[in-house]
Amino acid sequence: MSIFVVGVNHKSAPVAIREQVAFSPERLVEALHSAKLITQEHLILSTCNRTEVYAAGHEPQQIEQLIAWLARFHNISLSKLQPYLFVYQEEQAVQHAMRVACGLDSLVLGEPQILGQLKTALQQASQAQATGHQLTHLMQQAFNTAKKVRTQTRIGANPVSVAFAAVSLSKQIFSHLEQQTALLVGAGETIELVGRHLNAHHIGQIIVANRNLERARKVADLYHGIAIGLPEIADYLAKADILISSTAAPLPIIGKGMVESALKLRKHRPMFMVDIAVPRDIEPEVGHLDDVYLYTVDDLQSVIEENLQSRRAAAEQAETMVLDEVQGFMGWLRAQEHRDTIRQFRQHNEAIRDEVLARAHKMLQNKNPSEVLEFLANTLTNKLTHAPIQSMNHAAQTGNDVLLAHAKTLFNLTDES
């Protein structure tokens, strides 16, 4: 069984490519079922920074088939997608999975959100009956590794995230946030985190817009804010000094015309916008308007870089821990290839035990228990050692020193034994 990963991320592809291969929540189950035509074990991780398909299979051609499927599913030409794809196999794939879970491959080094997203991806694959023993074990070990890294290093000691970077950048535009109004579009973990950071900087007012109004209210209530539906954004946009958007919408929610109208009402007071979503929530053309400062996920890199110094030493320690865990998983994976042999060996010896024990029980009716115990011990010893001794004798007669050396290791023998 081979483990492999196919995908794009913030390192390999720009946002314009990533948004074309992102899986919307509405189509994820369809995608998981569709990929079963290629491999029975797979899961899909799709976030604003990455789209990755983890899979386990037996055939080498499955990798190329999965790449072709990814392009076909998203209606993007293979020639356009291919330059941005990465493929990892075996140990590299296992290492990648664990690095992703630990936040070592994230745009923001050590960010914790990716672990929850990976757990959700496994749960969704499991519900769609798209994953199996190998991938499930890999993910569970990746989760355990991430927990070790979190508890044994300081990789998460400082508040560094895309949300934190977005708020830090807003402070460069507006030095004090007490008089500003922030419009947050979406109501997921990222938006909650943005709200938390804005609240810590004493933002004047928070408005939360979401397709599900009840969910918007739950987030808004955390920060004494206002909840609105997505259709109401146009009515409230002129009040927003800061707009940060992170939804799973397949098409832009905020267009150039909507922003132009808001700027007129604002008398061209500046608006700061961060589009964290992939696909994008804000039309790129909005960035060409005067008085608008529009940033995408990729633009946050320089801000994030300033907050990473304290995490780098912890990351080095974490990388060493990941390598140890990779070796542990690869050992387990290799053992799976021979588990039938191990099971047969155990069943063979259990059958011998049951046969001899049954005979001993019958003998107890007529013989002294001491005689029966002696019979049991001698017969079990003879039957369990008969085949190995025959093989070792044959190896000794034919000069097969390699087999004899392996026998010493297998039966834990020493020269003094």
Side-chain angles (χ1 to χ4, degrees):
M1 180 70 75
S2 174
I3 303 285
F4 53 92
V5 186
V6 172
V8 298
N9 62 17
H10 60 284
K11 296 177 183 177
S12 73
V15 66
I17 293 295
R18 298 201 305 272
E19 65 185 0
Q20 290 186 63
V21 292
F23 288 89
S24 65
E26 294 78 17
R27 296 199 69 196
L28 185 62
V29 174
E30 175 195 348
L32 287 166
H33 285 299
S34 172
K36 287 181 184 179
L37 296 173
I38 300 166
T39 170
Q40 287 300 302
E41 281 203 47
H42 54 272
L43 65 84
I44 297 169
L45 176 64
S46 187
T47 73
C48 59
N49 283 326
R50 66 183 71 244
T51 292
E52 299 176 351
V53 184
Y54 294 79
H58 293 283
E59 305 298 331
Q61 65 267 27
Q62 285 176 314
I63 294 175
E64 293 304 319
Q65 290 171 348
L66 203 60
I67 291 171
W69 168 83
L70 185 63
R72 189 168 60 250
F73 189 89
H74 291 289
N75 198 27
I76 179 175
S77 71
L78 194 55
S79 60
K80 183 178 179 181
L81 178 61
Q82 194 91 44
Y84 302 102
L85 280 170
F86 57 77
V87 177
Y88 297 123
Q89 301 178 61
E90 305 298 351
E91 284 192 40
Q92 282 189 324
V94 173
Q95 183 178 357
H96 179 74
M98 292 187 181
R99 293 186 77 250
V100 168
C102 295
L104 295 173
D105 192 62
S106 295
L107 174 63
V108 181
L109 181 63
E111 61 92 5
Q113 284 176 280
I114 189 65
L115 180 59
Q117 291 165 331
L118 199 54
K119 286 181 177 180
T120 299
L122 176 62
Q123 183 181 28
Q124 290 167 329
S126 180
Q127 288 172 346
Q129 297 182 321
T131 191
H133 188 52
Q134 268 74 19
L135 271 189
T136 300
H137 190 82
L138 170 60
M139 289 300 144
Q140 292 298 343
Q141 191 154 340
F143 302 156
N144 291 336
T145 302
K147 185 178 179 181
K148 282 184 186 178
V149 166
R150 291 258 156 229
T151 55
Q152 296 178 24
T153 77
R154 290 181 56 79
I155 197 158
N158 296 312
V160 181
S161 65
V162 170
F164 182 79
V167 174
S168 297
L169 201 54
S170 71
K171 288 202 70 183
Q172 295 182 24
I173 308 298
F174 307 101
S175 55
H176 301 289
L177 301 184
E178 290 87 347
Q179 302 302 317
Q180 265 61 56
T181 294
L183 172 57
L184 309 184
V185 184
E189 287 182 23
T190 300
I191 289 298
E192 275 196 42
L193 197 53
V194 167
R196 194 182 311 161
H197 288 307
L198 285 170
N199 197 49
H201 286 92
H202 311 291
I203 187 74
Q205 184 179 41
I206 289 179
I207 302 167
V208 180
N210 193 50
R211 192 178 308 280
N212 184 319
L213 190 57
E214 185 57 35
R215 177 65 186 149
R217 283 198 189 98
K218 285 182 180 178
V219 177
D221 287 347
L222 295 173
Y223 314 111
H224 309 290
I226 299 169
I228 63 172
L230 293 186
E232 297 176 85
I233 288 176
D235 299 328
Y236 282 82
L237 189 57
K239 298 180 180 182
D241 304 295
I242 298 166
L243 184 146
I244 300 175
S245 187
S246 178
T247 77
L251 295 171
I253 295 169
I254 298 158
K256 184 180 177 184
M258 187 192 297
V259 178
E260 284 176 323
S261 298
L263 286 171
K264 288 178 184 176
L265 292 172
R266 290 174 60 81
K267 302 189 186 304
H268 294 279
R269 282 181 292 120
M271 295 180 75
F272 169 73
M273 297 183 172
V274 180
D275 190 350
I276 300 174
V278 177
R280 285 174 277 197
D281 285 338
I282 303 172
E283 287 182 351
E285 293 77 12
V286 169
H288 301 150
L289 296 173
D290 291 337
D291 306 309
V292 171
Y293 300 88
L294 174 61
Y295 294 83
T296 66
V297 184
D298 293 350
D299 297 323
L300 298 179
Q301 183 64 52
S302 61
V303 181
I304 290 164
E305 188 65 28
E306 297 172 8
N307 300 292
L308 291 178
Q309 298 306 319
S310 64
R311 295 196 173 195
R312 292 207 166 101
E316 288 180 16
Q317 184 183 352
E319 294 283 10
T320 301
M321 294 168 67
V322 164
L323 289 176
D324 290 341
E325 295 294 333
V326 169
Q327 293 309 310
F329 178 82
M330 294 307 297
W332 175 86
L333 193 61
R334 285 189 289 269
Q336 301 312 294
E337 298 174 11
H338 302 287
R339 60 182 177 177
D340 286 343
T341 301
I342 296 168
R343 184 165 54 244
Q344 285 174 9
F345 176 72
R346 185 178 184 83
Q347 289 173 344
H348 172 73
N349 287 299
E350 286 175 343
I352 291 173
R353 176 203 63 196
D354 293 344
E355 178 203 341
V356 175
L357 189 59
R359 289 172 61 188
H361 275 299
K362 286 183 180 179
M363 289 173 65
L364 279 173
Q365 299 172 10
N366 305 310
K367 291 186 177 291
N368 185 292
S370 296
E371 289 182 68
V372 175
L373 284 173
E374 189 171 342
F375 162 81
L376 184 65
N378 290 336
T379 307
L380 266 179
T381 300
N382 291 336
K383 283 184 173 288
L384 291 175
T385 60
H386 176 70
I389 288 173
Q390 269 196 327
S391 296
M392 285 189 283
N393 275 329
H394 184 263
Q397 291 166 12
T398 57
N400 191 344
D401 294 337
V402 173
L403 181 61
L404 289 169
H406 286 322
K408 278 191 173 184
T409 302
L410 190 61
F411 297 115
N412 197 24
L413 304 176
T414 63
D415 292 335
E416 291 79 21
S417 295

